[in-house]
Amino acid sequence: MGFVVSPMMSLFSKFTVLLLFVLWCASFTSTEAYDPLDPTGNITIKWDIISWTADGYVAVVTIYNFQQYRHIQAPGWSLGWTWAKKEVIWSMLGGQATEQGDCSKFKGNIPHCCKKSPTVVDLLPGIPYNQQIANCCKGGVISSWAQDPANAASSFQLSVGSAGTSNKTVRLPKNFTLKAPGPGYTCARAKIVKPTRFMSTDKRRITQALMTWNVTCTYSQFLAQKTPSCCVSLSSFYNSTIVPCPKCSCGCQRNISDSRGCVDPNAPHLASVVSSLGNNNPMPIVQCTSHMCPIRVHWHIKLNYKQYWRVKVTITNFNYNMNYTQWNLVVQHPNFDNLTQSFSFNYQSLSPYSDINDTAMLWGVKFYNDMLMQAGRSGNVQSELLFQKDKSTFTFDKGWAFPRRIYFNGDNCVMPPPDAYPWLPNASSRQLTSPLMLMIAVLSALAFLYGHV
């Protein structure tokens, strides 16, 4: 006697499988380093051998930031690798190894670094000129390519010993690591490329490197941090509802005794509490909020004109342990193809896909609001954006006027769910359907139908 599956049982099984698949997709976290708003962005490390020595070579290493909006902020980058043989670093300009290592076998001249896997950092500004080279000594800070291309590179020079003395005997270092300043970057293997060409200052002579190899490093927000670092809240003139950042966007509140906790802004002796927690601690010290994010971006639809509409953007810092210098904001919205004016932010259009102009990069005006101060009264920056309407697409209906996604300093911010957006007053038939409510409704209907089969 065979087991007969009724049509309703089959439908219920299919729905269960579909539901499990949707839940699996929602819980899956990708660590791929692909950014849809900057698909070709990367950091390229170029290693140029410029001369041979008796036991090795002299090379200039340059870190190029080809990312449109992700920069490296203080305390700066640190670059590591593993030597292929028994190389040592005799001397350096524009940078230094963080540890010397065991150089006890050397007599007389002692190398700068003897470690098998050295880590190099940039020198600080103000270092004596005889220790500098071009593009060095900025404390490891590198600007993004779109924001400040003139400062989107950092260089140092090193003299390598116990190494090959020709193109055939040199061995490429391996296992490159880049921290900027924390984790998040994954570096590929070094690859020999066409030697770099250099032009003299008078532009009348071109020289070239004796040998060049490149290392490409890409960024993944999931590798950089376990939780997001920013969130978005929304409001509008046509609805009194203020949609806050989703609860626990960047974590949930914990006790202040926990190092991952938060600080009550109304606590007595706030300054001393923040000082004690922030002493030699690079982690964010955030104000206690429902979202627990260091950064909140608020998008407010402010005014509606006949041919234009206006938005106010406010960025608030809830981190007591960080001043964000050279901050930037990337916003995706279809009306950025017709932005009329940005009042107190710099603006540049980003077109990751040449035919679509819906992404803008915004950053502060130098010496005015290019630094987002730590949490407190001065911990915010704001500007207004004026858009011209396109009659074929413009509408306030169904949340069209709110951004599709927002990045702060290159990290994707948590958006409120679309069904929570402020709706027009005449949208009285609005339905609030969460996935849980939908599942309950479907299961109830299936149970009812199965009971009448």
Side-chain angles (χ1 to χ4, degrees), residues 76-214:
W77 57 263
S78 61
L79 179 65
W81 63 85
T82 300
W83 292 116
K85 298 193 290 185
K86 297 182 179 180
E87 293 91 338
V88 296
I89 302 175
W90 281 112
S91 61
M92 294 190 68
L93 295 175
Q96 63 182 3
T98 57
E99 295 183 47
Q100 184 183 39
D102 182 8
C103 297
S104 58
K105 69 177 182 179
F106 290 90
K107 309 298 180 183
N109 292 334
I110 305 299
H112 175 80
C113 177
C114 299
K115 287 184 69 67
K116 177 72 172 178
S117 299
T119 298
V120 171
V121 295
D122 195 12
L123 296 180
L124 297 174
I127 205 74
Y129 288 113
N130 62 354
Q131 299 179 34
Q132 297 186 27
I133 65 167
N135 288 326
C136 84
C137 313
K138 295 177 282 189
V141 174
I142 305 180
S143 299
S144 62
W145 190 258
Q147 191 168 351
D148 188 3
N151 290 301
S154 182
S155 301
F156 60 88
Q157 179 179 303
L158 70 171
S159 177
V160 181
S162 301
T165 55
S166 71
N167 292 30
K168 293 183 179 180
T169 57
V170 166
R171 295 292 179 265
L172 278 59
K174 54 188 179 180
N175 300 333
F176 278 86
T177 59
L178 176 67
K179 293 185 177 181
Y185 285 92
T186 303
C187 299
R189 292 182 179 180
K191 179 180 179 182
I192 297 176
V193 296
K194 189 176 180 179
T196 304
R197 291 161 62 89
F198 306 99
M199 183 172 288
S200 62
T201 53
D202 60 5
K203 299 183 179 180
R204 300 178 64 186
R205 173 176 165 80
I206 294 177
T207 59
Q208 72 176 42
L210 304 176
M211 186 177 183
T212 299
W213 57 80
N214 283 356

Side-chain angles (χ1 to χ4, degrees), residues 17-296:
V17 171
L18 179 61
L19 178 62
L20 290 173
F21 176 76
V22 170
L23 292 174
W24 176 81
C25 290
S27 63
F28 180 75
T29 301
S30 172
T31 58
E32 292 181 357
Y34 176 77
D35 187 344
L37 298 187
D38 189 13
T40 60
N42 67 78
I43 288 182
T44 297
I45 302 161
K46 186 179 289 290
W47 193 298
D48 292 310
I49 295 179
I50 57 175
S51 65
W52 302 112
T53 62
D55 67 338
Y57 58 85
V58 176
V60 173
V61 180
T62 304
I63 303 172
Y64 293 98
N65 185 7
F66 292 124
Q67 298 174 112
Q68 292 292 318
Y69 45 79
R70 187 173 292 110
H71 64 274
I72 299 177
Q73 59 188 7
W77 57 263
S78 61
L79 179 65
W81 63 85
T82 300
W83 292 116
K85 298 193 290 185
K86 297 182 179 180
E87 293 91 338
V88 296
I89 302 175
W90 281 112
S91 61
M92 294 190 68
L93 295 175
Q96 63 182 3
T98 57
E99 295 183 47
Q100 184 183 39
D102 182 8
C103 297
S104 58
K105 69 177 182 179
F106 290 90
K107 309 298 180 183
N109 292 334
I110 305 299
H112 175 80
C113 177
C114 299
K115 287 184 69 67
K116 177 72 172 178
S117 299
T119 298
V120 171
V121 295
D122 195 12
L123 296 180
L124 297 174
I127 205 74
Y129 288 113
N130 62 354
Q131 299 179 34
Q132 297 186 27
I133 65 167
N135 288 326
C136 84
C137 313
K138 295 177 282 189
V141 174
I142 305 180
S143 299
S144 62
W145 190 258
Q147 191 168 351
D148 188 3
N151 290 301
S154 182
S155 301
F156 60 88
Q157 179 179 303
L158 70 171
S159 177
V160 181
S162 301
T165 55
S166 71
N167 292 30
K168 293 183 179 180
T169 57
V170 166
R171 295 292 179 265
L172 278 59
K174 54 188 179 180
N175 300 333
F176 278 86
T177 59
L178 176 67
K179 293 185 177 181
Y185 285 92
T186 303
C187 299
R189 292 182 179 180
K191 179 180 179 182
I192 297 176
V193 296
K194 189 176 180 179
T196 304
R197 291 161 62 89
F198 306 99
M199 183 172 288
S200 62
T201 53
D202 60 5
K203 299 183 179 180
R204 300 178 64 186
R205 173 176 165 80
I206 294 177
T207 59
Q208 72 176 42
L210 304 176
M211 186 177 183
T212 299
W213 57 80
N214 283 356
V215 178
T216 302
C217 303
T218 52
Y219 178 83
S220 169
Q221 183 175 345
F222 299 108
L223 294 177
Q225 51 208 6
K226 294 181 179 179
T227 60
S229 59
C230 56
C231 63
V232 179
S233 58
L234 308 170
S235 63
S236 65
F237 71 89
Y238 54 76
N239 192 314
S240 59
T241 301
I242 298 177
V243 179
C245 288
K247 189 176 181 180
C248 296
S249 294
C250 304
C252 294
Q253 289 190 31
R254 296 175 181 176
N255 192 287
I256 189 63
S257 61
D258 190 331
S259 61
R260 297 165 294 177
C262 61
V263 175
D264 183 353
N266 299 317
H269 313 295
L270 177 63
S272 60
V273 172
V274 171
S275 178
S276 63
L277 290 174
N279 191 22
N280 297 321
N281 178 19
M283 298 298 294
I285 301 175
V286 297
Q287 186 181 120
C288 293
T289 60
S290 61
H291 53 77
M292 290 296 290
C293 291
I295 295 292
R296 182 190 67 195

Side-chain angles (χ1 to χ4, degrees), residues 3-14 449-450 453:
F3 181 75
V4 180
V5 180
S6 69
M8 290 306 302
M9 289 275 295
S10 177
L11 179 61
F12 186 85
S13 299
K14 290 180 179 179
L449 292 173
Y450 182 72
V453 174

Side-chain angles (χ1 to χ4, degrees), residues 228-235 242-250 290-300 311-316 318 329-332 401-408 411-418 420-422:
S229 59
C230 56
C231 63
V232 179
S233 58
L234 308 170
S235 63
I242 298 177
V243 179
C245 288
K247 189 176 181 180
C248 296
S249 294
C250 304
S290 61
H291 53 77
M292 290 296 290
C293 291
I295 295 292
R296 182 190 67 195
V297 181
H298 186 74
W299 180 279
H300 174 66
V311 169
K312 183 177 181 180
V313 179
T314 305
I315 308 170
T316 304
F318 292 97
L329 198 69
V330 173
V331 185
Q332 187 178 36
F402 295 107
R404 306 306 183 257
R405 71 177 80 190
I406 289 181
Y407 286 36
F408 179 82
D411 286 338
N412 198 0
C413 300
V414 178
M415 297 284 296
Y421 286 11

